[in-house]
Structures are given as C-alpha cells and as structure tokens.
Amino acid sequence: MDEATRANRAAWEAASEKYVREYEDMLTVAAEGSSLIDLERRLLHDVLKDRPAVVHWQSGNATDDAALLQAGAKSVIGVDFSEVAAHAAQRRADALGIPCRYIVAALPGAPLANGCADLVYTGKGGFIWMPDVDLWARDIARLLRPSGHLFIYDEHPAAPLWSWDEDEPRIRPDRSYFAAGHINDSFPAGGAVQRQATLGEVVTAVASAGLEIVRLEEYAEPFWRMGGVSAAAWEGRLPNAFALLARRPTAG
C-alpha cells in the first residue's frame, strides 16, 4: 500500500466513526431500503429481477446493500478498506438478518474468486478514491461471471471543478479536469487525496477490460449534498453525477 493510500485509509477510518455514532439512524435507513434511489432502481431493474449475487466494491456505510436485497439481489459481499465501516456494516446486517458479508481489503486487488459476482455495484463516493482506473476496471471485470454487470453511480469527473458559490457557478482556480488528483476539502478531508479521471478515461478503461457499455447517463443533481450547502453549480446547468452500466459478454 503506497503512502497516499495509507493516508486516505487513515482519513476514512476517522470519518467512518460517524457510522458507529449514528448506528441506529443508519440501521433504520438500511431497514427501509431508502438509500437506493430511483435512477438506480430504473437502471438496475432488469439486473435485479434475476436475483444476482452482488459484490459491493468500496461498500462504505453499506446502507445500499439492504436496499439491493429488497430490490431482488440474492446476496451481497461488501469490500472496503475501512475496518470501522466494515465492522459497523456487518453489525447492521447481522441485526437485520440479511445475507451480507463484509471484507476489509484495499482495492484494486479484491480478495475474491474470479467470476464470483453477477453484479458489481459501486460508487456514491467510492470510485473517486481509486488510484488507477485501468486496474480498477480489470479487477472488477475479473469478478464478473459471463453476462454479469458493473454498475457505478458517482460524482461526475467534472464536478470537483465547480465552486460552491451560491450566486453563480465558477471553476475553482486550484482544480483541473485533467489533473491526476487533488486534496479533498469536504469529506473526509483530513488531507485525503481524491483521484481524478476524465469520463473518457472511465469509459475507455471499462471497455478495455472487456465489458460492453450498456448505458451511460449524466446528471445535474449531485449524488451527495454536504449538509447546509447550496451551490449555483447544482441548479441544472452543469454535470455533477453520472451512472454507467456495463456487461461482461457471454463466453464465445
């Protein structure tokens, strides 16, 4: 594990204490299945009706996992490098009696067998911490069975450029769409280095890993709004989130 990944892991271990402090609230969210939003349900409808075995890559607070099960998934394995987050997620899953198992590991390099998943679900603040988008895509493709799917819903690669000014959207002078990364100053902050890849690099990495692009959508609405913040950049004129659905072809 390189120094930047170690620093990011430390920042996330500290930030994930939130999932322990707010355990009861997050247990309620998980039980309700409310964290899987409408656009995810729409794009995943046909995938989930086939009762997929899911790997939740960078599972974080993992409230989406109960929602995936309620929507049709057969089981979920969550992988995250935060011990605090993974342990809190397992405690919630055990309390709800749902088929979820959590593993602590740095990614890429998931400690899971080839072809173990029908769906790899990821995003919502996870993808932007991957140091190498090509390794990310290849490791995910390795996990998928033939006809299995990758689904990502996350921050748009252009979104870190927008300021949080309320009067009008502005581009931050300390950010570039083509930069390798930047210091995160929102959440988890703490000096964490957020990686950056263009949308073209993401799509190319997925296709180069042997997956077929099924759907790519961009959204003005952010996947997450920091509490108490209202920004003109979120009012419909600029891309702030994206979703990508890809499929591993059947053999032959």
PDB file of all heavy atoms in Angstrom, residues 207-222:
ATOM      1  N   ALA A 207     -14.284  -0.434 -21.203  1.00  0.00           N
ATOM      2  CA  ALA A 207     -14.311  -1.142 -22.486  1.00  0.00           C
ATOM      3  C   ALA A 207     -13.033  -1.961 -22.689  1.00  0.00           C
ATOM      4  O   ALA A 207     -13.090  -3.096 -23.184  1.00  0.00           O
ATOM      5  CB  ALA A 207     -14.490  -0.145 -23.624  1.00  0.00           C
ATOM      6  N   SER A 208     -11.889  -1.420 -22.301  1.00  0.00           N
ATOM      7  CA  SER A 208     -10.618  -2.131 -22.465  1.00  0.00           C
ATOM      8  C   SER A 208     -10.535  -3.366 -21.583  1.00  0.00           C
ATOM      9  O   SER A 208      -9.791  -4.306 -21.885  1.00  0.00           O
ATOM     10  CB  SER A 208      -9.447  -1.188 -22.155  1.00  0.00           C
ATOM     11  OG  SER A 208      -9.403  -0.121 -23.075  1.00  0.00           O
ATOM     12  N   ALA A 209     -11.298  -3.368 -20.482  1.00  0.00           N
ATOM     13  CA  ALA A 209     -11.337  -4.530 -19.602  1.00  0.00           C
ATOM     14  C   ALA A 209     -12.257  -5.624 -20.140  1.00  0.00           C
ATOM     15  O   ALA A 209     -12.404  -6.675 -19.508  1.00  0.00           O
ATOM     16  CB  ALA A 209     -11.804  -4.108 -18.211  1.00  0.00           C
ATOM     17  N   GLY A 210     -12.852  -5.388 -21.296  1.00  0.00           N
ATOM     18  CA  GLY A 210     -13.665  -6.406 -21.946  1.00  0.00           C
ATOM     19  C   GLY A 210     -15.141  -6.313 -21.673  1.00  0.00           C
ATOM     20  O   GLY A 210     -15.895  -7.234 -22.004  1.00  0.00           O
ATOM     21  N   LEU A 211     -15.590  -5.200 -21.090  1.00  0.00           N
ATOM     22  CA  LEU A 211     -17.007  -5.042 -20.790  1.00  0.00           C
ATOM     23  C   LEU A 211     -17.690  -4.196 -21.864  1.00  0.00           C
ATOM     24  O   LEU A 211     -17.082  -3.286 -22.434  1.00  0.00           O
ATOM     25  CB  LEU A 211     -17.188  -4.385 -19.424  1.00  0.00           C
ATOM     26  CG  LEU A 211     -16.515  -5.079 -18.235  1.00  0.00           C
ATOM     27  CD1 LEU A 211     -16.846  -4.336 -16.938  1.00  0.00           C
ATOM     28  CD2 LEU A 211     -16.914  -6.539 -18.143  1.00  0.00           C
ATOM     29  N   GLU A 212     -18.961  -4.498 -22.101  1.00  0.00           N
ATOM     30  CA  GLU A 212     -19.756  -3.743 -23.064  1.00  0.00           C
ATOM     31  C   GLU A 212     -20.538  -2.655 -22.342  1.00  0.00           C
ATOM     32  O   GLU A 212     -21.208  -2.934 -21.340  1.00  0.00           O
ATOM     33  CB  GLU A 212     -20.741  -4.672 -23.777  1.00  0.00           C
ATOM     34  CG  GLU A 212     -20.082  -5.793 -24.558  1.00  0.00           C
ATOM     35  CD  GLU A 212     -21.093  -6.791 -25.100  1.00  0.00           C
ATOM     36  OE1 GLU A 212     -22.243  -6.808 -24.584  1.00  0.00           O
ATOM     37  OE2 GLU A 212     -20.741  -7.541 -26.017  1.00  0.00           O
ATOM     38  N   ILE A 213     -20.472  -1.436 -22.833  1.00  0.00           N
ATOM     39  CA  ILE A 213     -21.237  -0.344 -22.235  1.00  0.00           C
ATOM     40  C   ILE A 213     -22.708  -0.506 -22.609  1.00  0.00           C
ATOM     41  O   ILE A 213     -23.067  -0.550 -23.786  1.00  0.00           O
ATOM     42  CB  ILE A 213     -20.731   1.033 -22.705  1.00  0.00           C
ATOM     43  CG1 ILE A 213     -19.216   1.172 -22.483  1.00  0.00           C
ATOM     44  CG2 ILE A 213     -21.498   2.146 -21.997  1.00  0.00           C
ATOM     45  CD1 ILE A 213     -18.772   1.069 -21.051  1.00  0.00           C
ATOM     46  N   VAL A 214     -23.553  -0.602 -21.592  1.00  0.00           N
ATOM     47  CA  VAL A 214     -24.995  -0.731 -21.809  1.00  0.00           C
ATOM     48  C   VAL A 214     -25.674   0.625 -21.708  1.00  0.00           C
ATOM     49  O   VAL A 214     -26.560   0.958 -22.499  1.00  0.00           O
ATOM     50  CB  VAL A 214     -25.610  -1.705 -20.781  1.00  0.00           C
ATOM     51  CG1 VAL A 214     -27.123  -1.775 -20.926  1.00  0.00           C
ATOM     52  CG2 VAL A 214     -24.990  -3.092 -20.915  1.00  0.00           C
ATOM     53  N   ARG A 215     -25.243   1.425 -20.748  1.00  0.00           N
ATOM     54  CA  ARG A 215     -25.881   2.720 -20.513  1.00  0.00           C
ATOM     55  C   ARG A 215     -24.884   3.669 -19.856  1.00  0.00           C
ATOM     56  O   ARG A 215     -24.141   3.279 -18.961  1.00  0.00           O
ATOM     57  CB  ARG A 215     -27.089   2.544 -19.585  1.00  0.00           C
ATOM     58  CG  ARG A 215     -28.012   3.717 -19.487  1.00  0.00           C
ATOM     59  CD  ARG A 215     -28.958   3.772 -20.671  1.00  0.00           C
ATOM     60  NE  ARG A 215     -29.883   4.902 -20.575  1.00  0.00           N
ATOM     61  CZ  ARG A 215     -30.788   5.187 -21.488  1.00  0.00           C
ATOM     62  NH1 ARG A 215     -30.912   4.415 -22.562  1.00  0.00           N
ATOM     63  NH2 ARG A 215     -31.599   6.221 -21.343  1.00  0.00           N
ATOM     64  N   LEU A 216     -24.873   4.913 -20.294  1.00  0.00           N
ATOM     65  CA  LEU A 216     -24.076   5.966 -19.672  1.00  0.00           C
ATOM     66  C   LEU A 216     -24.948   7.200 -19.595  1.00  0.00           C
ATOM     67  O   LEU A 216     -25.440   7.681 -20.611  1.00  0.00           O
ATOM     68  CB  LEU A 216     -22.813   6.261 -20.491  1.00  0.00           C
ATOM     69  CG  LEU A 216     -21.941   7.417 -20.001  1.00  0.00           C
ATOM     70  CD1 LEU A 216     -21.360   7.127 -18.620  1.00  0.00           C
ATOM     71  CD2 LEU A 216     -20.817   7.709 -21.003  1.00  0.00           C
ATOM     72  N   GLU A 217     -25.169   7.704 -18.377  1.00  0.00           N
ATOM     73  CA  GLU A 217     -26.010   8.879 -18.180  1.00  0.00           C
ATOM     74  C   GLU A 217     -25.282   9.895 -17.309  1.00  0.00           C
ATOM     75  O   GLU A 217     -24.495   9.522 -16.428  1.00  0.00           O
ATOM     76  CB  GLU A 217     -27.332   8.485 -17.512  1.00  0.00           C
ATOM     77  CG  GLU A 217     -28.194   7.556 -18.349  1.00  0.00           C
ATOM     78  CD  GLU A 217     -29.558   7.274 -17.729  1.00  0.00           C
ATOM     79  OE1 GLU A 217     -29.811   7.762 -16.595  1.00  0.00           O
ATOM     80  OE2 GLU A 217     -30.365   6.577 -18.363  1.00  0.00           O
ATOM     81  N   GLU A 218     -25.563  11.177 -17.550  1.00  0.00           N
ATOM     82  CA  GLU A 218     -25.002  12.267 -16.755  1.00  0.00           C
ATOM     83  C   GLU A 218     -26.142  13.059 -16.132  1.00  0.00           C
ATOM     84  O   GLU A 218     -27.205  13.211 -16.741  1.00  0.00           O
ATOM     85  CB  GLU A 218     -24.135  13.165 -17.637  1.00  0.00           C
ATOM     86  CG  GLU A 218     -22.956  12.434 -18.270  1.00  0.00           C
ATOM     87  CD  GLU A 218     -22.256  13.265 -19.334  1.00  0.00           C
ATOM     88  OE1 GLU A 218     -22.765  13.291 -20.479  1.00  0.00           O
ATOM     89  OE2 GLU A 218     -21.226  13.881 -19.016  1.00  0.00           O
ATOM     90  N   TYR A 219     -25.901  13.585 -14.929  1.00  0.00           N
ATOM     91  CA  TYR A 219     -26.963  14.246 -14.175  1.00  0.00           C
ATOM     92  C   TYR A 219     -26.498  15.583 -13.605  1.00  0.00           C
ATOM     93  O   TYR A 219     -25.341  15.729 -13.190  1.00  0.00           O
ATOM     94  CB  TYR A 219     -27.418  13.361 -13.012  1.00  0.00           C
ATOM     95  CG  TYR A 219     -27.687  11.935 -13.403  1.00  0.00           C
ATOM     96  CD1 TYR A 219     -26.780  10.938 -13.065  1.00  0.00           C
ATOM     97  CD2 TYR A 219     -28.831  11.581 -14.116  1.00  0.00           C
ATOM     98  CE1 TYR A 219     -27.012   9.618 -13.423  1.00  0.00           C
ATOM     99  CE2 TYR A 219     -29.070  10.259 -14.473  1.00  0.00           C
ATOM    100  CZ  TYR A 219     -28.151   9.278 -14.125  1.00  0.00           C
ATOM    101  OH  TYR A 219     -28.374   7.978 -14.488  1.00  0.00           O
ATOM    102  N   ALA A 220     -27.428  16.516 -13.562  1.00  0.00           N
ATOM    103  CA  ALA A 220     -27.138  17.807 -12.940  1.00  0.00           C
ATOM    104  C   ALA A 220     -27.162  17.697 -11.415  1.00  0.00           C
ATOM    105  O   ALA A 220     -26.447  18.432 -10.722  1.00  0.00           O
ATOM    106  CB  ALA A 220     -28.158  18.844 -13.395  1.00  0.00           C
ATOM    107  N   GLU A 221     -27.972  16.786 -10.893  1.00  0.00           N
ATOM    108  CA  GLU A 221     -28.097  16.624  -9.443  1.00  0.00           C
ATOM    109  C   GLU A 221     -26.882  15.888  -8.882  1.00  0.00           C
ATOM    110  O   GLU A 221     -26.513  14.824  -9.378  1.00  0.00           O
ATOM    111  CB  GLU A 221     -29.370  15.830  -9.124  1.00  0.00           C
ATOM    112  CG  GLU A 221     -29.571  15.507  -7.657  1.00  0.00           C
ATOM    113  CD  GLU A 221     -29.855  16.733  -6.800  1.00  0.00           C
ATOM    114  OE1 GLU A 221     -30.278  17.775  -7.361  1.00  0.00           O
ATOM    115  OE2 GLU A 221     -29.653  16.642  -5.584  1.00  0.00           O
ATOM    116  N   PRO A 222     -26.219  16.433  -7.841  1.00  0.00           N
ATOM    117  CA  PRO A 222     -25.098  15.709  -7.231  1.00  0.00           C
ATOM    118  C   PRO A 222     -25.567  14.413  -6.586  1.00  0.00           C
ATOM    119  O   PRO A 222     -26.722  14.293  -6.175  1.00  0.00           O
ATOM    120  CB  PRO A 222     -24.592  16.683  -6.159  1.00  0.00           C
ATOM    121  CG  PRO A 222     -25.189  18.008  -6.477  1.00  0.00           C
ATOM    122  CD  PRO A 222     -26.471  17.728  -7.186  1.00  0.00           C
TER     123      PRO A 222
END
